Amino acid sequence: MKKFLDLGHQPLANSYILKKNLNLKEKKFRLSVGFNPKNFLVSILNTVPKEKMFNKNYPYKSSESFTMIDSFKKLSADIKKKYNPKFLIEIGCNDGAFLRNFNKKDIVGVEPCKNLANLTKKRGFKVYPEYWNIKLAKKITKNKKADLIYSANTLSHIKDYSEIFKAIKLSLSNKGVLILEDPSLLECIKKVAYDQFYCEHIYVFSAIALQKILGEFQLEIFDIDKTKTHGGSNRYYIKKKDNNFYKISNKVKKEVQKEIRFGLKKFSTYKKFGSKVQKSKKELIKIIKNIKKKNSRIIGYGATAKSCTVLNYCNIGKSEIDYFYDTTTYKIGKFLPGSKIEVKKYRKLAISNIDHVYLGAWNFKEEIFKKEKKFLKDGGKFIIHTPYPKII
Ligand code: JHZ
């Protein structure tokens, strides 16, 4: 692995702090990112045990945004039309935002965060509150194989991809399809979205890296769709190599060529990205300092896991951002890890008297700008750090 980025000592991105624990020492780890020239994988270099991140206190809920609900709804309709699956598995089903589009008898979820697994169970779905692995895959598919496996923003969170893909392969029927959806490395690099790196995002996949590692398990990508979610993601359609039901689409070749042309096989591209990140940090600090010089207030919008990386890397804390607004019940009243900025409950018109709002959830810019039309019309300003720090 060749290191190209050092984002300093970081706390666990989703470990929001209770007020009574504010004085306790937080667990931190060194967040640095590297490139493997052999398989083109980009990954964080030090990892945190999965149980410390994905447990019964996991705060993130997929159903917290219309963008995600809408994206899952459209994809589900498309899946039914294209594949008409009789048995589906979702790996990392979170609070059931995707599952709810299917018949309860046709789909099962896998979700190791028990609080989320319970939410999905309450919706009436069968959920295995466990980590995805070979043993669980054998249990789920003992009587019938899956026609379709879906996994969004989950496989990039699992270190041992070998176990994962072996388990997927043995679970799929001969005609079976795996649909994987994760932030695209190309978009991350283009947008200088260094906040895609935090403890949970062990990998940020490119098509070239995925193609290479899938090959180890006789799996292959046969189609790719681009989605706008999470700052620009790729939706990969994957099959077993000996499954001849689907032809390999031209879109796969095009995406691979685009990534190679951009330089995703070259270490120099990542070095350049590393320098851009350092510049981005300086510029964001400058913007914030200028605002503070004028005694203007800044609050945050969307206490995302990604914000944790930005705030801690740029040493932004309570003196710069008064508090964050967020809609997630679990986060409200707690404090962001590292920066210890309070998270308050979002309500309509909450930001109307604020001059500057730092957009932690920049990936939902369209949805949020629509919601905050009046704020923007009245001269309110958002601060955003990607593709470069600026005031909108
Ligand atoms: P959002 C999490 O990352 C963690 P985060 C995880 N590792 C991952 O990969 C992605 O999700 C998928 C709030 N919000 O989606 C809700 C508002 O307050 O960018 C959320 O707390 N108002 C699994 O945390 C946060 O912003 C709004 O109008 O970086 C968004 O978090 C909207 C739209 C959101 O993921």
Side-chain angles (χ1 to χ4, degrees):
M1 288 299 284
K2 294 174 85 175
K3 179 170 147 179
F4 63 84
L5 183 61
D6 187 346
L7 294 163
H9 280 100
Q10 293 270 355
L12 306 196
N14 265 318
S15 55
Y16 295 82
I17 312 166
L18 285 167
K19 195 169 186 174
K20 64 171 181 153
N21 294 336
L22 274 174
N23 291 327
L24 298 183
K25 202 168 176 252
E26 287 176 90
K27 284 197 184 68
K28 295 208 173 170
F29 77 110
R30 185 105 208 165
L31 179 59
S32 45
V33 192
F35 169 68
N36 183 340
K38 286 202 185 103
N39 59 12
F40 319 124
L41 253 183
V42 164
S43 67
I44 61 170
L45 300 177
N46 304 304
T47 53
V48 172
K50 60 182 185 303
E51 295 79 8
K52 293 227 179 310
M53 301 186 283
F54 309 113
N55 49 45
K56 63 179 181 5
N57 297 320
Y58 196 70
Y60 179 77
K61 291 200 328 212
S62 307
S63 302
E64 220 57 52
S65 91
F66 293 118
T67 312
M68 291 316 293
I69 291 173
D70 191 51
S71 167
F72 288 139
K73 198 169 157 193
K74 285 190 181 131
L75 172 65
S76 305
D78 196 45
I79 286 177
K80 285 177 198 167
K81 211 163 98 192
K82 267 201 214 138
Y83 304 110
N84 188 26
K86 297 283 177 276
F87 180 45
L88 296 94
I89 303 172
E90 187 187 8
I91 307 173
C93 69
N94 197 277
D95 63 355
F98 172 77
L99 264 83
R100 65 201 272 194
N101 296 295
F102 290 87
N103 253 329
K104 296 188 171 79
K105 62 173 181 37
D106 296 340
I107 190 161
V108 299
V110 174
E111 179 49 69
C113 304
K114 298 213 170 44
N115 56 334
L116 298 171
N118 283 338
L119 284 177
T120 312
K121 268 187 201 165
K122 273 194 196 137
R123 291 184 196 267
F125 289 93
K126 169 92 185 149
V127 182
Y128 293 83
E130 294 169 52
Y131 294 101
W132 174 254
N133 56 29
I134 293 175
K135 198 169 152 219
L136 179 65
K138 281 185 179 159
K139 185 161 99 185
I140 297 178
T141 60
K142 199 169 142 211
N143 298 322
K144 56 179 170 187
K145 300 280 180 198
D147 305 311
L148 200 129
I149 299 180
Y150 178 60
S151 192
N153 303 299
T154 301
L155 297 201
S156 54
H157 297 54
I158 308 174
K159 190 175 179 181
D160 184 2
Y161 64 77
S162 171
E163 170 95 12
I164 296 311
F165 289 121
K166 278 180 192 158
I168 286 174
K169 203 175 163 211
L170 73 85
S171 302
L172 282 176
S173 65
N174 290 340
K175 210 179 157 181
V177 171
L178 162 69
I179 304 180
L180 264 193
E181 195 170 321
D182 276 291
S184 138
L185 180 67
L186 185 61
E187 293 299 324
C188 164
I189 302 279
K190 277 187 183 169
K191 295 192 171 111
V192 197
Y194 62 90
D195 52 344
Q196 289 289 12
F197 297 107
Y198 54 93
C199 54
E200 295 175 12
H201 283 185
I202 295 175
Y203 305 106
V204 176
F205 292 130
S206 59
I208 49 171
L210 208 53
Q211 207 176 37
K212 195 97 180 163
I213 58 174
L214 286 168
E216 292 172 35
F217 310 95
Q218 287 76 50
L219 293 165
E220 64 186 353
I221 305 170
F222 69 93
D223 206 356
I224 298 182
D225 280 337
K226 308 240 118 214
T227 77
K228 281 188 177 171
T229 54
H230 294 297
S233 298
N234 280 344
R235 186 176 284 155
Y236 304 97
Y237 295 77
I238 297 157
K239 64 174 185 69
K240 293 184 199 169
K241 276 197 174 159
D242 56 8
N243 168 351
N244 296 317
F245 288 102
Y246 307 102
K247 279 219 305 256
I248 298 188
S249 151
N250 255 340
K251 285 192 271 175
V252 180
K253 201 166 143 192
K254 273 195 189 146
E255 185 62 20
V256 164
Q257 280 171 347
K258 196 159 97 187
E259 289 186 355
I260 296 173
R261 245 183 284 125
F262 187 84
L264 290 193
K265 278 190 175 177
K266 290 191 230 144
F267 184 62
S268 56
T269 305
Y270 302 98
K271 285 286 278 183
K272 214 155 71 195
F273 169 73
S275 312
K276 283 191 184 165
V277 173
Q278 285 174 13
K279 197 168 156 223
S280 173
K281 172 180 177 169
K282 280 188 197 139
E283 283 173 12
L284 182 63
I285 293 174
K286 203 161 114 193
I287 288 176
I288 289 181
K289 269 193 179 153
N290 280 339
I291 295 173
K292 295 312 285 182
K293 252 193 235 158
K294 293 177 194 143
N295 282 331
S296 200
R297 278 171 80 203
I298 308 175
I299 65 116
Y301 196 121
T304 58
K306 295 184 289 294
S307 308
C308 178
T309 297
V310 178
L311 300 175
N312 290 293
Y313 175 58
C314 299
N315 299 313
I316 298 169
K318 282 177 290 194
S319 332
E320 288 79 23
I321 298 183
D322 292 7
Y323 51 85
F324 264 77
Y325 276 126
D326 200 284
T327 52
T328 316
T329 317
Y330 180 88
K331 296 182 186 178
I332 295 162
K334 298 198 176 76
F335 294 77
L336 276 151
S339 63
K340 299 189 174 164
I341 301 172
E342 190 176 355
V343 184
K344 293 194 180 189
K345 184 181 164 75
Y346 173 82
R347 38 187 175 81
K348 216 173 163 205
L349 299 178
I351 59 170
S352 51
N353 292 322
I354 312 282
D355 310 312
H356 293 92
V357 175
Y358 171 70
L359 191 58
W362 58 268
N363 44 316
F364 293 118
K365 192 171 122 202
E366 273 176 34
E367 179 177 338
I368 291 170
F369 278 18
K370 217 190 259 171
K371 202 153 77 178
E372 307 301 344
K373 241 186 356 227
K374 186 160 183 327
F375 168 75
L376 284 162
K377 210 172 127 222
D378 293 347
K381 304 226 165 22
F382 277 101
I383 307 165
I384 191 164
H385 78 278
T386 153
Y388 56 88
K390 62 181 166 192
I391 299 176
I392 304 175

